[in-house]
Amino acid sequence: MPESTSPPLARAALDRDGEARGVDGFAERFDADPASRVIVLHRGRALLAERVEGSAPRLQFLEPPRAPGSTLRCYLGRTIAATAPVASADEAAADVSTASSDDLPPGTPIELRVLDDAAAARLEPEDARWANLRTAAPVLGDRDAGLFTEALALANWHSAAPFCPRCGSTTTVVQAGWARRCDREGNLLFPRTDPAVIVLVTDDEDRVLLGSNALWEQNRFSLLAGFVEPGESLESAVIREVGEEAGLRVDRVEYRGSQPWPLPASLMLGFTARVADGTTPSTAMPDGVEILALRWFSRDELAAATQEVALPGGTSIARWLLERWYGGPVPESRPWTAT
Ligand SMILES: [Zn+2]
């Protein structure tokens, strides 16, 4: 596949407009601007617009007076002029990547409001209109997929950061939702992102190594992955994770791309690596704790196994890396949904 394709959640079409976050009276100005629009989240799900026949799925954009009040408001940025569609790893996304780009004029300021149960039920009681990121992202256009990803990442951080980690005091949201200030010490706390590496390991015959995680259903296979430890480089994390989970020595570690994975707060950094010279691929041994089974697949073997093996979902960077190795969409595999 062409180098230009992005992982599905790395798609974005927005000016984050960071300068505006620190402007005094920003919230009041936002509310007074008739061009402003609000998207809403409730328990990690976004409100989608009602489907009109023939239209692509899109987020619901509300005028500020129509958007319920919320304890959490975050300014996400301004829309930009639609550009040529960016090809996506996911065919469905590629089909609609520009479909929602022309309904808001460029420069439209967008804010996130997080709703409680009562406000969400008042605004839209129909459950089907609320969608989670994993199912919505592949069918949303670039702008809306990016907005949802940004909004969810911010909302998740706020829900986990009500208190100062240093002194335990309450904190107050500042900078239009991009920081919190400790109410006692006055220091600023910024949203955090946890880096994780995910690695497509191949051998000299260009077979791919897939592992089955202990937490997953049987026969569900994906790439090896793990969090980067403090004081560790990304490349070292790749080599360590493959060593721990598969007992294999790898080298030729190469970075391929990244995407946010705000479930709840990760940034997935995708790599490829090769089994090191002098290491026999068949000695791959699952650690028995995190990884229960390991299998090598040639392209033909993977295509033949798709009825028996569940592969990572279309929103994941694992699928994106796998399809780049495979050379295109992997034939229909068993559906793999939620974790
Ligand atoms: Zn503090």
Side-chain angles (χ1 to χ4, degrees), residues 196-276:
V197 292
I198 181 154
V199 54
L200 183 132
V201 178
T202 51
D203 67 4
D204 288 343
E205 295 166 39
D206 205 22
R207 295 182 304 168
V208 68
L209 179 67
L210 301 181
S212 188
N213 193 293
L215 301 172
W216 301 341
E217 77 212 59
Q218 233 191 337
N219 280 333
R220 176 166 152 185
F221 281 82
S222 187
L223 307 185
L224 302 182
F227 285 107
V228 180
E229 295 188 341
E232 185 176 46
S233 72
L234 300 174
E235 293 79 1
S236 300
V238 167
I239 292 166
R240 176 182 54 76
E241 281 292 339
V242 178
E244 286 175 3
E245 296 185 349
L248 284 180
R249 215 157 51 78
V250 292
D251 56 19
R252 286 159 282 181
V253 175
E254 284 184 41
Y255 175 71
R256 298 297 175 182
S258 70
Q259 75 168 8
W261 191 249
L263 306 161
S266 300
L267 174 66
M268 303 300 298
L269 297 131
F271 289 84
T272 54
R274 280 281 284 281
V275 172

Side-chain angles (χ1 to χ4, degrees), residues 8-46:
L9 293 184
R11 294 181 295 138
L14 193 80
D15 169 8
R16 289 195 172 204
D17 191 19
E19 289 160 29
R21 298 170 191 166
V23 172
D24 277 348
F26 177 78
E28 292 72 28
R29 242 189 284 170
F30 179 92
D31 284 346
D33 183 349
S36 297
R37 291 294 180 273
V38 174
I39 64 168
V40 291
L41 282 186
H42 169 240
R43 294 181 180 265
R45 296 195 298 167

Side-chain angles (χ1 to χ4, degrees), residues 44 151-161 262-265:
L152 183 61
L154 263 179
N156 284 346
W157 173 70
H158 282 288
S159 74
L263 306 161

Side-chain angles (χ1 to χ4, degrees), residues 20-338:
R21 298 170 191 166
V23 172
D24 277 348
F26 177 78
E28 292 72 28
R29 242 189 284 170
F30 179 92
D31 284 346
D33 183 349
S36 297
R37 291 294 180 273
V38 174
I39 64 168
V40 291
L41 282 186
H42 169 240
R43 294 181 180 265
R45 296 195 298 167
L47 182 62
L48 301 188
E50 206 163 354
R51 288 293 289 278
V52 183
E53 213 179 311
S55 74
R58 44 165 286 185
L59 295 174
Q60 175 76 60
F61 294 95
L62 300 163
E63 293 165 20
R66 285 196 54 230
S70 161
T71 47
L72 179 60
R73 298 174 55 167
C74 301
Y75 175 56
L76 300 176
R78 289 177 182 276
T79 56
I80 55 174
T83 50
V86 176
S88 154
D90 190 287
E91 279 182 1
D95 286 341
V96 297
S97 59
T98 53
S100 61
S101 301
D102 52 5
D103 53 344
L104 292 176
T108 302
I110 311 279
E111 185 182 78
L112 160 71
R113 292 188 188 171
V114 177
L115 306 186
D116 62 19
D117 292 347
R122 269 199 310 276
L123 180 65
E124 181 48 67
E126 196 193 320
D127 193 64
R129 289 271 304 279
W130 298 89
N132 69 47
L133 182 67
R134 205 187 290 262
T135 51
V139 297
L140 291 173
D142 291 350
R143 184 199 65 201
D144 288 11
L147 275 168
F148 193 169
T149 306
E150 179 185 355
L152 183 61
L154 263 179
N156 284 346
W157 173 70
H158 282 288
S159 74
F163 302 107
C164 172
R166 226 165 42 184
C167 74
S169 293
T170 53
T171 57
T172 301
V173 178
V174 294
Q175 295 187 10
W178 286 89
R180 300 180 76 103
R181 191 189 301 282
C182 171
D183 291 332
R184 206 180 76 176
E185 302 170 305
N187 54 305
L188 286 177
L189 306 162
F190 295 99
R192 56 172 294 172
T193 293
D194 302 326
V197 292
I198 181 154
V199 54
L200 183 132
V201 178
T202 51
D203 67 4
D204 288 343
E205 295 166 39
D206 205 22
R207 295 182 304 168
V208 68
L209 179 67
L210 301 181
S212 188
N213 193 293
L215 301 172
W216 301 341
E217 77 212 59
Q218 233 191 337
N219 280 333
R220 176 166 152 185
F221 281 82
S222 187
L223 307 185
L224 302 182
F227 285 107
V228 180
E229 295 188 341
E232 185 176 46
S233 72
L234 300 174
E235 293 79 1
S236 300
V238 167
I239 292 166
R240 176 182 54 76
E241 281 292 339
V242 178
E244 286 175 3
E245 296 185 349
L248 284 180
R249 215 157 51 78
V250 292
D251 56 19
R252 286 159 282 181
V253 175
E254 284 184 41
Y255 175 71
R256 298 297 175 182
S258 70
Q259 75 168 8
W261 191 249
L263 306 161
S266 300
L267 174 66
M268 303 300 298
L269 297 131
F271 289 84
T272 54
R274 280 281 284 281
V275 172
D277 292 339
T279 298
T280 312
S282 61
T283 60
M285 179 70 84
D287 63 13
V289 181
E290 251 185 278
I291 298 295
L292 295 186
L294 288 167
R295 281 176 68 176
W296 288 98
F297 293 90
S298 66
R299 289 176 183 79
D300 288 345
E301 285 164 348
L302 189 67
T306 49
Q307 287 310 305
E308 159 214 348
V309 164
L311 295 174
T315 325
S316 66
I317 194 171
R319 182 65 167 237
W320 179 79
L321 286 163
L322 194 60
E323 296 200 331
R324 284 164 63 94
W325 163 82
Y326 188 80
V330 178
E332 249 342 90
S333 63
R334 274 178 44 200
W336 172 10
T337 44

